[in-house]
């Protein structure tokens, strides 16, 4: 799974990102990127094609592609995909201020 850090150079962009009005949109975009990277990486490591995984999930390939793009995905669907790919889903909530990690399994 590759990481896609978002680098912001201009002060205008930084003020946009830090503006409370836009903060939710930025967080949603970051989450979509992380989910997309995890889902596509999991599928590739399993050796399945998009079409094969979609068939196992009981959905159309175009619906699966939306998931792989970070859209229309639920925790249930992620668990289901992980099982099909022979992986384990591990969701963590990290509190950087306290350097604690709280795993959910």
């Amino acid at each position: 799974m590759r990481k896609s850090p978002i680098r912001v150079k201009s002060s205008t962009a930084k003020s946009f990102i830090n503006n409370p009005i836009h903060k939710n949109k930025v967080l949603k975009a970051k989450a979509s990127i992380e989910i997309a990277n995890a889902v596509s990486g999991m599928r590739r490591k399993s050796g399945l094609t998009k079409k094969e995984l979609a068939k196992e999930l009981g959905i159309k390939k175009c619906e699966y592609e939306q998931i792989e793009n970070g859209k229309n995905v639920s925790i249930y669907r992620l668990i289901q995909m992980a099982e099909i790919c022979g992986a384990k889903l591990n969701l963590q909530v990290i509190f950087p201020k306290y350097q604690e990690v709280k795993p959910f399994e």
Side-chain angles (χ1 to χ4, degrees):
M1 174 177 18
R2 72 189 148 102
K3 300 240 179 189
S4 300
I6 298 175
R7 294 192 175 116
V8 181
K9 294 182 180 180
S10 75
S11 61
T12 304
K14 285 181 183 178
S15 64
F16 176 86
I17 289 170
N18 293 324
N19 184 325
I21 295 171
H22 305 294
K23 192 171 185 174
N24 284 338
K25 291 179 184 178
V26 171
L27 290 174
K28 188 174 181 179
K30 284 182 181 180
S32 291
I33 291 168
E34 288 182 25
I35 289 169
N37 287 338
V39 168
S40 63
M42 180 172 54
R43 178 189 55 79
R44 284 193 305 266
K45 286 180 182 175
S46 74
L48 294 171
T49 65
K50 291 178 183 181
K51 187 176 182 178
E52 291 169 336
L53 185 51
K55 185 177 179 181
E56 289 289 324
L57 292 167
I59 59 176
K60 297 176 184 173
K61 182 184 172 197
C62 62
E63 292 173 299
Y64 173 78
E65 287 172 338
Q66 287 183 348
I67 294 170
E68 198 160 293
N69 288 325
K71 299 175 183 157
N72 298 328
V73 64
S74 66
I75 296 294
Y76 168 76
R77 183 67 79 192
L78 290 173
I79 292 168
Q80 187 181 24
M81 291 169 58
E83 288 179 3
I84 291 168
C85 292
K88 180 181 175 185
L89 182 67
N90 184 16
L91 180 64
Q92 293 182 334
V93 177
I94 301 170
F95 297 93
K97 182 177 177 181
Y98 304 106
Q99 298 299 313
E100 295 180 22
V101 177
K102 303 288 184 188
F104 292 96
E105 294 186 22

